[in-house]
Amino acid sequence: LFQKLKQPQNLLPLVLLALLAALLYFSAQVDAELSAGRWLYEKKQGRFFPLTRLLQKTAVKVRNREKGFVNVKLHKPAVTLWTSKHAITVKHKFPAALFHSLKQGKMSRNASPFIKQKGKSQIVLQPWIYPVFLLLAALFLIQKAVLKTAVAVLLGALLLLYSLQVSGVVKNRSRVFTGYASPAIACG
Amino acid sequence: LTFRFCGAILKQNEAGEKMDNPPLENPEFDDNAAFSAPEAERAAQQPVRMRATSDMITLQYRFKQFLKKGGAELFFILLSWLLVRNLLSSSGLLNSFARRDSGNSMAIPLAISRIFHNTMQLSAMPAFFFSLLAICGLFFASRKIGSPETGIAAAILTALFPLFSISGFQGFSQIAAFALLAYSLLFLLRSNEGESTINAPVSGLLWISGLSCTPALFPIALALTAGALSRKTVRKSLPGFLIGTAAGFLLIEILLQSLLGKPVFSGLKLFFSSAGVTGAAPGSLFPRLFSSPTLAPFSLIALFALGYTARAGSGSFPVAPAIIFLTGYLLLDLLPVRSAPLRTLAGDGSCLTLPLTLLGGVFIGNLMDRKSLRWLIAAITTIAAAALLAAR
């Protein structure tokens, strides 16, 4: 398999795939902000002891969570300490934001990066969906095998993100429109 | 298997012996006299070509052939479907059986519910297995319509079709109907092969069982079956299909009356009484086909598919299936509720899972080669795995 993957025509889609997966995974590292005046704790023998107060607002990276406390790595000074889970404001970047909104079930709200809500229930498609069809149309024209496989990788990624996002929309809309339930359920 | 293998070897030896000492029917005529000497020598050196019988084909060989004809890709599609399902459920987006599947009015869902004692946790199992069966069924049926690439593309689209995922979380009646109808289509398409006469009745049995799970899928089921029957080679299977349907109807009635204690013809009564419960206004499906986030991409792919096929020439355009699909759509969408008691699913696009994935599969299967499809599956699987790790 490795010998096959090493072939020159497989390198571009492979690099693209690795890049997309890495982008998605590493962007899911949660960035947060800790405001001034918050207590920082240190953990000794499973218990949390207050150490110091934070003098100014600072950016942190969330490492771990435990019993209402969050393990954070401060940027300046570069130390890892604990703080209350209510003390931090979490920021999610693009791909991670998608899955954060999945967790929160806020798919059809304005928070969603892909789908806008107009009025109470009307949902319109965001322009991001159109690249899927441009890529499909591109498959008509592209003759080179390397480019065709690279386009296939992009198409797969977009289709997956679309499917996840829209599944959430259906769930939220089904709360509003009972007609979304299976007819067998309605009959029962 | 051992017996079959030994039998195959014995047959092979017998055949070999026969070829070593061919009987001379007409001893006065010598075939070799027609050849020159070097040609006769070359002919003697060539290996004897034998016709393989079904006994000689081992299970291992069949499995290898299956993997070559898109089976390997199917395993990866099932893996990516599992990842997507896991992602949806573990993120709290969709909880299995947040609504209880109380489609108990229909014979088969009722029987399955009884088997699982009507518990919500246990009845998630049939939904899971019917989803797997539905993806495999659509793969096999589409592969039969076109090429292995068609099957792979249809399976990818089914695994990613949001309304298919949702159906798998909202009960098992509809997903069971998808699976049974897909296999019904497969058996009907296979009915023209060989001398086996069992395929058409089995197809009819599966068809009526699918409808027994979700009667409102009737227009789609009718359109798919009629589309398959429009092939000249399949048309002769119609009597067998009808016999299977009648047998299935009787079996379901027996199941309802004897085992589930329902009155006579209760299945038929429920079939008609269920109609119109969730029916939307006439024409409501059409705008949704091209505006709804859940349907639009797949409708557009299907539209491209029709245009792409039409571009190839009127000779290759499947006129009969297109007319039948159109009839199914008209039944679903345009007839008033009272006069069309079967268009209950017009408001819900999930009924279009089968036709949209089949049409899209044909299109994408024609457009992409096997290598591109493999990269498409690899992208879906890898990114879904990364997302699952990231969402933990």
Side-chain angles (χ1 to χ4, degrees):
Chain A
L1 182 70
F2 187 68
Q3 289 299 323
K4 275 188 182 176
L5 285 176
K6 250 177 31 179
Q7 287 170 358
Q9 67 265 28
N10 288 335
L11 286 178
L12 178 64
L14 196 66
V15 168
L16 201 62
L17 181 58
L19 202 69
L20 284 170
L23 176 76
L24 195 74
Y25 181 73
F26 289 110
S27 70
Q29 299 279 329
V30 181
D31 281 327
E33 215 170 56
L34 202 56
S35 50
R38 296 292 184 181
W39 276 101
L40 291 169
Y41 299 79
E42 64 174 344
K43 191 181 171 188
K44 280 181 182 173
Q45 295 167 344
R47 297 180 69 184
F48 297 95
F49 298 96
L51 191 69
T52 179
R53 266 180 191 272
L54 201 64
L55 295 175
Q56 58 183 10
K57 189 168 79 173
T58 185
V60 294
K61 274 197 185 296
V62 176
R63 292 279 185 219
N64 200 4
R65 290 165 195 268
E66 202 177 303
K67 296 175 192 169
F69 285 87
V70 185
N71 189 213
V72 291
K73 187 183 178 191
L74 277 69
H75 285 221
K76 283 179 187 174
V79 287
T80 306
L81 288 167
W82 293 81
T83 186
S84 162
K85 73 172 181 182
H86 303 294
I88 57 166
T89 319
V90 178
K91 286 179 188 172
H92 293 279
K93 285 183 284 185
F94 155 61
L98 173 69
F99 299 106
H100 177 67
S101 60
L102 271 169
K103 278 188 175 175
Q104 300 297 312
K106 291 177 181 171
M107 304 303 289
S108 64
R109 310 262 171 87
N110 286 330
S112 162
F114 297 142
I115 292 167
K116 260 185 194 170
Q117 191 169 16
K118 278 186 178 176
K120 278 186 180 175
S121 60
Q122 192 191 354
I123 293 171
V124 291
L125 283 174
Q126 288 284 69
W128 80 273
I129 198 93
Y130 298 111
V132 177
F133 301 103
L134 286 177
L135 288 175
L136 267 177
L139 284 172
F140 274 117
L141 307 169
I142 295 170
Q143 298 293 326
K144 224 173 180 178
V146 186
L147 287 178
K148 215 166 186 171
T149 47
V151 167
V153 169
L154 284 174
L155 200 63
L158 282 172
L159 270 175
L160 176 76
L161 292 179
Y162 154 81
S163 182
L164 291 173
Q165 187 80 16
V166 170
S167 300
V169 173
V170 173
K171 185 203 176 191
N172 276 1
R173 292 186 74 182
S174 67
R175 286 176 186 164
V176 183
F177 304 111
T178 51
Y180 264 92
S182 154
I185 296 167
C187 296
Chain B
L1 276 174
T2 314
F3 278 122
R4 286 180 73 177
F5 184 68
C6 290
I9 289 172
L10 282 173
K11 275 191 182 178
Q12 222 169 354
N13 287 343
E14 279 170 22
E17 279 165 16
K18 277 178 193 170
M19 294 310 289
D20 288 342
N21 306 307
L24 284 174
E25 288 172 7
N26 186 358
E28 288 173 10
F29 180 75
D30 184 8
D31 277 335
N32 286 338
F35 294 107
S36 62
E39 277 176 344
E41 273 177 26
R42 208 181 306 141
Q45 282 170 5
Q46 274 177 356
V48 179
R49 294 190 67 185
M50 287 166 54
R51 194 182 177 86
T53 60
S54 58
D55 292 346
M56 293 161 70
I57 299 168
T58 59
L59 197 65
Q60 195 184 3
Y61 176 78
R62 280 176 198 272
F63 186 67
K64 275 185 182 170
Q65 287 298 309
F66 168 67
L67 289 183
K68 276 183 190 168
K69 287 182 181 175
E73 285 84 355
L74 178 66
F75 285 126
F76 278 96
I77 292 166
L78 291 177
L79 176 68
S80 60
W81 174 77
L82 280 172
L83 289 171
V84 169
R85 187 186 157 88
N86 207 340
L87 197 58
L88 290 172
S89 58
S90 67
S91 60
L93 187 67
L94 293 169
N95 296 319
S96 277
F97 291 79
R99 297 161 188 269
R100 180 190 284 260
D101 188 352
S102 52
N104 296 340
S105 44
M106 306 308 160
I108 291 175
L110 177 57
I112 295 173
S113 298
R114 290 274 173 92
I115 291 168
F116 289 99
H117 307 292
N118 225 5
T119 53
M120 286 166 76
Q121 288 81 11
L122 283 176
S123 58
M125 281 166 60
F128 178 79
F129 285 113
F130 276 123
S131 300
L132 282 178
L133 280 176
I135 295 173
C136 295
L138 275 162
F139 166 79
F140 289 122
S142 312
R143 196 177 68 169
K144 189 59 73 184
I145 292 168
S147 57
E149 284 77 14
T150 314
I152 295 166
I156 293 171
L157 288 181
T158 313
L160 291 181
F161 196 59
L163 290 168
F164 179 79
S165 314
I166 301 299
S167 300
F169 281 100
Q170 284 190 338
F172 59 84
S173 305
Q174 200 164 324
I175 220 88
F178 289 153
L180 291 167
L181 289 175
Y183 282 101
S184 163
L185 184 65
L186 172 68
F187 276 97
L188 193 58
L189 291 168
R190 278 181 63 176
S191 63
N192 64 335
E193 286 176 2
E195 292 171 0
S196 173
T197 50
I198 198 76
N199 285 326
V202 169
S203 170
L205 189 74
L206 291 170
W207 191 80
I208 197 82
S209 307
L211 280 186
S212 159
C213 290
T214 307
L217 282 175
F218 179 73
I220 293 297
L222 188 70
L224 287 176
T225 311
L229 286 169
S230 70
R231 283 186 172 187
K232 275 183 186 170
T233 48
V234 183
R235 210 170 291 159
K236 64 181 181 193
S237 311
L238 184 61
F241 178 81
L242 292 176
I243 289 167
T245 310
F249 177 76
L250 283 175
L251 281 175
I252 288 167
E253 276 300 318
I254 290 167
L255 180 73
L256 278 170
Q257 288 173 37
S258 314
L259 300 176
L260 305 173
K262 297 275 177 184
V264 184
F265 294 126
S266 58
L268 268 183
K269 275 182 197 166
L270 288 166
F271 181 75
F272 286 105
S273 66
S274 69
V277 173
T278 54
S284 62
L285 187 59
F286 188 74
R288 291 203 40 186
L289 273 175
F290 298 102
S291 65
S292 158
T294 52
L295 283 174
F298 295 89
S299 311
L300 287 172
I301 288 174
L303 196 70
F304 280 147
L306 286 172
Y308 183 73
T309 325
R311 201 184 111 249
S314 58
S316 61
F317 188 75
V319 178
I323 290 171
I324 290 157
F325 269 114
L326 195 66
T327 314
Y329 165 74
L330 290 173
L331 267 172
L332 266 172
D333 198 22
L334 292 183
L335 294 182
V337 178
R338 282 170 195 271
S339 61
L342 304 168
R343 48 173 296 281
T344 44
L345 281 176
D348 184 354
S350 60
C351 59
L352 294 167
T353 300
L354 291 175
L356 286 183
T357 50
L358 280 172
L359 275 172
V362 171
F363 171 61
I364 295 179
N366 277 331
L367 196 63
M368 294 171 81
D369 53 3
R370 183 75 73 91
K371 202 174 178 187
S372 307
L373 282 169
R374 280 180 184 162
W375 276 108
L376 186 78
I377 299 164
I380 294 167
T381 316
T382 315
I383 293 170
L388 199 61
L389 283 172
R392 268 165 57 187

